[in-house]
C-alpha cells in the first residue's frame, strides 16, 4: 500500500518545539520534492515549506521564517519539519505531499495517495 504518513503532532505550549515526520511506505521519497502544508481551524490550506529531491528548501509562508526548518533522511524514507518557537497561530493540521517541484508550489499525485485525509494535529496553547 502506498502511503505518506504524518506524525509527531501534539499539544505544546507557546515557545515550544515539535518535530513532525512524513514517512513514505510502498515507494521511495528520494526522487520527489516534498511539501508541508497546514490548515488551521476555519481557514484554507496553505503551504509551509518544501524540500527538493536534492535537499534544497523553499519557504512558502513568511510567518515561519527563522522558526521552521525542513529536512529529509532518504535512508529512513522520511521528511521532517522542525518547528521551534511555536505560536498559537501555528495551530493547525499539518500534511505532507509530493510536489512537481518546490518552485511550482503544485502537488503531484503519486500512486493515488490522498494527501489531505489524515495529517497530524499541532495545537499550540498554554
Amino acid at each position: 500500500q502506498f502511503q505518506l504518513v504524518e506524525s509527531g503532532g501534539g499539544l505544546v505550549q507557546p515557545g515550544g518545539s515539535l518535530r513532525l515526520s512524513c514517512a513514505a511506505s510502498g515507494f521511495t521519497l528520494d526522487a520527489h520534492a516534498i511539501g508541508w502544508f497546514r490548515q488551521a481551524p476555519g481557514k484554507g490550506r496553505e503551504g509551509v515549506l518544501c524540500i527538493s529531491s536534492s535537499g534544497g528548501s523553499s519557504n512558502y509562508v513568511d510567518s515561519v521564517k527563522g522558526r521552521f526548518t525542513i529536512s529529509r533522511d532518504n535512508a529512513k524514507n522520511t521528511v521532517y519539519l522542525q518547528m521551534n518557537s511555536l505560536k498559537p497561530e501555528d495551530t493547525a493540521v499539518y500534511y505532507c505531499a509530493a510536489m512537481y517541484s518546490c518552485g511550482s508550489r503544485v502537488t503531484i499525485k503519486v500512486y493515488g495517495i490522498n494527501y489531505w485525509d489524515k495529517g497530524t494535529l499541532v495545537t499550540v496553547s498554554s
Side-chain angles (χ1 to χ4, degrees):
Q1 187 177 5
F2 303 108
Q3 289 182 303
L4 276 177
V5 180
E6 302 92 346
S7 63
L11 174 63
V12 62
Q13 292 187 340
S17 298
L18 283 174
R19 188 178 78 160
L20 306 184
S21 298
C22 169
S25 61
F27 70 104
T28 55
L29 278 179
D30 57 359
H32 299 282
I34 300 295
W36 279 99
F37 295 78
R38 66 184 181 184
Q39 186 163 17
K43 295 187 177 181
R45 189 166 58 235
E46 65 175 353
V48 180
L49 280 163
C50 179
I51 188 165
S52 70
S53 58
S54 60
S57 64
S58 299
N59 190 303
Y60 289 161
V61 61
D62 286 344
S63 63
V64 307
K65 283 182 179 178
R67 300 189 298 122
F68 291 12
T69 56
I70 191 170
S71 63
R72 65 193 306 154
D73 185 336
N74 289 335
K76 294 184 178 180
N77 216 22
T78 301
V79 170
Y80 302 99
L81 183 67
Q82 178 67 44
M83 306 186 297
N84 299 327
S85 302
L86 281 160
K87 303 177 180 180
E89 52 264 43
D90 296 317
T91 295
V93 179
Y94 285 72
Y95 306 89
C96 60
M99 310 290 290
Y100 275 105
S101 67
C102 289
S104 71
R105 301 196 178 205
V106 175
T107 61
I108 183 172
K109 199 75 166 179
V110 174
Y111 299 110
I113 298 171
N114 180 0
Y115 301 127
W116 319 117
D117 65 342
K118 292 183 180 178
T120 186
L121 175 62
V122 172
T123 303
V124 185
S125 175
S126 55

